[in-house]
Amino acid sequence: MRNIYKLIIIISILFMLSSCRQNTNHNAENLEMYILRHSVIDKNNSEIIKDDSPIFTGNDIKSYDWDTHTIIFTDEFLADRNVDDAEVSDSIIDGGSQILGVFYPDQFAFYLDGEEMYRGYMKPQLFISFLPSGPIISDVENGIEIKNVGNINDKTDPRDNKELYNFLKDKDLLKSN
């Protein structure tokens, strides 16, 4: 009889331990980047409004360099954006992203399977004296770079997201060195 009790206790413990484990086999399927528009309500109030559809998805990414957080877009995406090389060089003065057609003070947010991973700003224009802290998008050739600007004492970098890294790796989008 004692052996039966021991067996039941062992099976119960194993069952409880297995039910407590997190599901680590979930692979994210959708990466989307939305623009968060800065909308002025009146002279004292403004709000941020998320666009209804993403500006790009994981399908629009040709490669992602994790070390520099540089996204190179597919030729199809770039053709749809109708961006000229001369316009991209203007982004140094104009700020924001000519490729995405979005400018400061608008923001962006990365979503993985509908869950926000992190958000940041478009690069401010050259004449803006205020530089926001956190992730900031600027243009590079055929893509964008997301730099993290902020407090040097803050060791956290919102771009270094394990779920985002795993998604990019699973989709074979990480740039190999």
Side-chain angles (χ1 to χ4, degrees):
M1 189 71 162
R2 276 180 103 147
N3 288 337
I4 293 175
Y5 285 128
K6 286 181 184 178
L7 182 61
I8 291 172
I9 290 172
I10 291 173
I11 291 173
S12 298
I13 290 172
L14 290 174
F15 178 73
M16 286 188 297
L17 288 176
S18 67
S19 66
C20 291
R21 281 184 40 205
Q22 284 184 338
N23 182 6
T24 57
N25 295 330
H26 174 72
N27 292 329
E29 292 298 320
N30 298 313
L31 173 66
E32 299 170 319
M33 190 183 99
Y34 285 87
I35 299 303
L36 309 172
R37 306 279 178 186
H38 180 257
S39 176
V40 177
I41 298 171
D42 58 41
K43 67 178 184 174
N44 295 322
N45 296 307
S46 64
E47 65 182 346
I48 301 294
I49 301 171
K50 180 180 155 190
D51 282 358
D52 292 332
S53 58
I55 195 157
F56 69 83
T57 68
N59 296 331
D60 299 317
I61 298 173
K62 184 176 188 177
S63 68
Y64 193 113
D65 184 336
W66 190 255
D67 294 332
T68 62
H69 294 278
T70 300
I71 298 172
I72 302 300
F73 293 113
T74 62
D75 294 337
E76 296 83 12
F77 178 80
L78 292 170
D80 287 345
R81 302 305 299 177
N82 210 8
V83 176
D84 187 13
D85 286 337
E87 290 179 22
V88 174
S89 65
D90 290 343
S91 69
I92 294 170
I93 296 170
D94 296 336
S97 171
Q98 301 289 328
I99 291 174
L100 300 178
V102 183
F103 304 94
Y104 183 81
D106 290 337
Q107 300 178 29
F108 69 92
F110 274 100
Y111 285 81
L112 198 56
D113 286 344
E115 181 182 334
E116 185 176 315
M117 296 288 98
Y118 71 89
R119 65 175 57 193
Y121 288 91
M122 294 295 135
K123 181 180 176 182
Q125 296 86 342
L126 192 56
F127 59 85
I128 301 285
S129 62
F130 172 75
L131 185 62
S133 63
I136 295 179
I137 285 182
S138 59
D139 287 339
V140 295
E141 185 176 345
N142 296 326
I144 58 174
E145 182 178 24
I146 307 166
K147 294 182 180 179
N148 191 33
V149 177
N151 186 347
I152 58 173
N153 296 326
D154 186 7
K155 303 284 188 223
T156 60
D157 185 345
R159 302 170 306 161
D160 293 337
N161 183 290
K162 187 176 182 177
E163 290 84 15
L164 178 58
Y165 179 85
N166 289 335
F167 170 85
L168 296 167
K169 186 176 177 184
D170 290 346
K171 301 295 182 187
D172 199 29
L173 296 173
L174 286 176
K175 180 181 175 185
S176 56
N177 294 331

